[in-house]
Amino acid sequence: MMEREIQPQHSPNPPPIMAANGSKIGKLEPSPSQATTTTSQLLPITATVASPKKLTLIPLIFLIYFEVAGGPYGEEPAVQAAGPLFAILGFLIFPFIWSIPEALITAELSTAFPGNGGFVIWADAAFGPFWGSLMGTWKFLSGVINVAAFPALCIDYLKKIFPVFSSGLPRHLAILGSTLALSFLNYTGLTIVGYAAVFLGIISLLPFILMSLIAIPKIHPHRWLNLGQKGVKKDWNLFFNTLFWNLNFWDNVSTMAGEVDEPQKTFPMALFSAVIFTCLAYIVPLLAVTGSVTVDQSEWEAGFMANAAEIISGKWLKFWIEVGAVLSAIGLFEAQLSSSAYQVLGMSELGFLPKFFGLRSTWFKTPWVGILLSTAITLGVSYMNFTDIISSANFLYSLGMLLEFASFVWLRRKFPAMKRPYRVPMRIPGLVMMCLIPGAFLVLIMVIATKIVYLVSGLMTVAAIAWYFFIKFCKSRNLFKFRNRGDDGGVAVY
């Protein structure tokens, strides 16, 4: 792998910062109140020569789609937790509270800092290496925990066709085998993963389109106003975690910014297209099923959409949706494993991890160490309870997102003149308000978490802080080779 070093220039006009794809990001010019800011405070981004094949618009849209959703699979517990009306309102309103602000932030910062590492770069640029490292650990752990949910979700659908996978050794072996096989597919290249996402997205959504069309004559709109069965207590913890889990992780794609063709143009268009695409994929089938099917509220567990398809149209559509669920889980796994692996690569390029964490495959140019590490942790947590998996991922992700919101606002204040190919059209007070609303929701998610989630997340945060100081110790003793920015802000390899 070749590297371009960004040498410090102690002049009033700092040189342009280079992204991982070799393009200019622009000059980080200090505000008038920071006229004495030196280049040592500016974030250097190591530029690497990546695979010649770059992600283009359509594959990127579907990768973002699978980073976030992958279809309406997994939205059913929202109905089980709070009834049809609250579920419908949740999937209508939550995108405006959460998805759109997060996508806007990702569009601005990914185009301003189009290098592998994404949110790690943003936190480091805003608040320094400690917070960059903490952000990286929080987001990486939440990402790989989230990845672990997809083989489990996949097997939950498969067991409806093959009951042998319901429990015991067959279930454990199925999760192990599917995780290893899908990780190898990820190893073969991001371009392959991108086009596979397009295929998987189309095939997995088709049965829901058919089900929604067939359901139209059977829909009774008054059923949408159902607040839930009498005597069934609402589970707001499950409800909000289901909404959050189904509509977050928009910023995960930022860790692969260095692998995207013309990221300054492609990222905003891909993100906005994916937001519309994802929201429609959730709300249309939900309206169709809640309006046309009446069942006991307890039956709305993960996988119920397949049973609803059988009620609406027959076993053939149920089978297709179950197969589509498996394909969707594959797409979700591939997209999010890619993000985690390229985050490891980006953190190595920025000096947060030893140099060998940034190694790429000779054949496929993929970050094989990142893939291996992500897969190992995924397997370690893949046998947890599904609800515990998404709750733990949500809590860690919430901590990272609060830091991301703060980084976004602070970077606007710290570097107001920095070139931003896409810029959220608001001043700082408006940006603060835009971040406060989803920030309040993040606090709510954290407040209603269970004791187990607090314990797991607390231990992981302590480990993240310890990891930062361990890496500092390794650097001071030259125990590993690092790509280091040096004391003066330049990038060096030693």
Side-chain angles (χ1 to χ4, degrees):
M1 189 186 303
M2 296 176 61
E3 295 139 12
R4 294 193 190 98
E5 293 188 2
I6 303 172
Q7 301 296 342
Q9 299 290 332
H10 300 289
S11 62
N13 297 312
I17 303 301
M18 304 300 292
N21 61 0
S23 61
K24 290 184 179 180
I25 295 174
K27 295 181 179 179
L28 296 183
E29 298 178 3
S31 62
S33 62
Q34 295 174 310
T36 60
T37 299
T38 66
T39 54
S40 63
Q41 295 174 284
L42 305 182
L43 178 69
I45 301 175
T46 303
T48 61
V49 178
S51 170
K53 294 183 178 179
K54 295 283 190 176
L55 280 173
T56 54
L57 178 62
I58 299 301
L60 184 59
I61 290 173
F62 278 87
L63 272 176
I64 296 171
Y65 169 67
F66 277 114
E67 294 279 6
V68 177
Y73 308 100
E75 70 175 340
E76 301 100 329
V79 180
Q80 183 187 62
L85 178 61
F86 282 110
I88 292 168
L89 289 176
F91 280 99
L92 281 173
I93 297 171
F94 194 70
F96 293 94
I97 295 175
W98 178 260
S99 300
I100 292 175
E102 189 182 4
L104 289 172
I105 291 170
T106 303
E108 176 170 319
L109 295 181
S110 293
T111 55
F113 299 95
N116 293 330
F119 34 72
V120 179
I121 301 174
W122 312 339
D124 190 9
F127 302 118
F130 172 79
W131 294 103
S133 176
L134 194 59
M135 170 75 90
T137 307
W138 278 338
K139 288 294 191 80
F140 176 73
L141 290 174
S142 69
V144 292
I145 290 173
N146 197 53
V147 169
F150 303 125
L153 184 61
C154 179
I155 301 305
D156 283 341
Y157 274 91
L158 272 181
K159 73 182 182 183
K160 298 177 184 299
I161 306 174
F162 306 107
V164 69
F165 294 133
S166 296
S167 61
L169 183 61
R171 178 180 177 84
H172 294 325
L173 290 177
I175 290 175
L176 174 63
S178 60
T179 300
L180 293 177
L182 295 176
S183 296
F184 178 76
L185 175 61
N186 202 273
Y187 171 73
T188 62
L190 191 56
T191 302
I192 293 174
V193 170
Y195 282 105
V198 176
F199 170 77
L200 293 170
I202 293 171
I203 298 300
S204 62
L205 275 177
L206 275 176
F208 287 101
I209 296 172
L210 287 174
M211 181 182 70
S212 300
L213 292 173
I214 295 170
I216 289 175
K218 305 176 183 181
I219 290 176
H220 298 281
H222 71 273
R223 293 176 178 169
W224 295 334
L225 304 178
N226 189 339
L227 294 172
Q229 287 179 240
K230 292 183 179 179
V232 177
K233 186 178 179 180
K234 290 180 171 50
D235 187 345
W236 295 114
N237 187 8
L238 177 61
F239 176 75
F240 286 117
N241 270 295
T242 299
L243 286 178
F244 192 47
W245 184 72
N246 279 279
L247 285 165
N248 67 5
F249 292 100
W250 293 96
D251 62 336
N252 270 14
V253 73
S254 68
T255 65
M256 302 182 287
E259 312 301 309
V260 175
D261 184 46
E262 296 186 282
Q264 291 90 344
K265 296 179 181 178
T266 306
F267 253 99
M269 189 178 300
L271 279 162
F272 301 147
S273 301
V275 167
I276 296 171
F277 184 33
T278 299
C279 293
L280 288 176
Y282 275 126
I283 195 63
V284 172
L286 183 61
L287 288 171
V289 175
T290 54
S292 60
V293 174
T294 301
V295 295
D296 191 276
Q297 189 172 327
S298 63
E299 293 187 29
W300 278 86
E301 59 183 6
F304 174 72
M305 281 292 183
N307 295 334
E310 182 178 12
I311 296 170
I312 291 170
S313 185
K315 289 186 177 181
W316 66 274
L317 191 56
K318 175 185 179 182
F319 180 80
W320 191 354
I321 284 183
E322 287 169 342
V323 172
V326 176
L327 298 178
S328 176
I330 291 172
L332 287 159
F333 184 97
E334 296 298 337
Q336 299 203 15
L337 181 63
S338 294
S339 290
S340 297
Y342 278 96
Q343 181 189 334
V344 171
L345 172 71
M347 291 182 71
S348 173
E349 292 176 342
L350 293 164
F352 287 107
L353 293 173
K355 184 181 176 182
F356 65 81
F357 279 95
L359 292 177
R360 289 183 185 252
S361 162
T362 303
W363 292 345
F364 303 111
K365 306 303 179 187
T366 46
W368 68 269
V369 176
I371 293 172
L372 184 63
L373 177 64
S374 302
T375 301
I377 299 176
T378 293
L379 282 172
V381 299
S382 61
Y383 301 106
M384 290 172 60
N385 175 271
F386 183 78
T387 301
D388 288 339
I389 289 175
I390 63 173
S391 298
S392 298
N394 286 348
F395 195 98
L396 291 172
Y397 188 79
S398 297
L399 291 172
M401 283 307 304
L402 289 172
L403 178 55
E404 185 173 310
F405 290 151
S407 300
F408 172 63
V409 174
W410 191 248
L411 283 170
R412 273 290 191 95
R413 182 183 182 279
K414 189 176 182 181
F415 303 121
M418 183 179 71
K419 182 180 178 182
R420 293 170 168 84
Y422 173 79
R423 187 183 183 94
V424 178
M426 296 182 188
R427 295 183 180 274
I428 289 180
L431 298 179
V432 171
M433 290 303 300
M434 185 183 81
C435 294
L436 277 178
I437 296 173
F441 185 82
L442 290 174
V443 173
L444 174 63
I445 288 291
M446 296 165 70
V447 167
I448 64 176
T450 63
K451 292 181 180 178
I452 293 176
V453 173
Y454 276 118
L455 177 62
V456 172
S457 302
L459 290 174
M460 288 184 175
T461 299
V462 171
I465 295 171
W467 177 259
Y468 170 75
F469 288 104
F470 172 71
I471 290 295
K472 284 192 69 175
F473 174 79
C474 291
K475 287 181 177 181
S476 67
R477 297 299 177 91
N478 293 326
L479 297 181
F480 301 102
K481 290 184 178 180
F482 287 86
R483 291 188 178 89
N484 189 19
R485 291 170 291 183
D487 295 334
D488 58 3
V491 177
V493 177
Y494 65 93

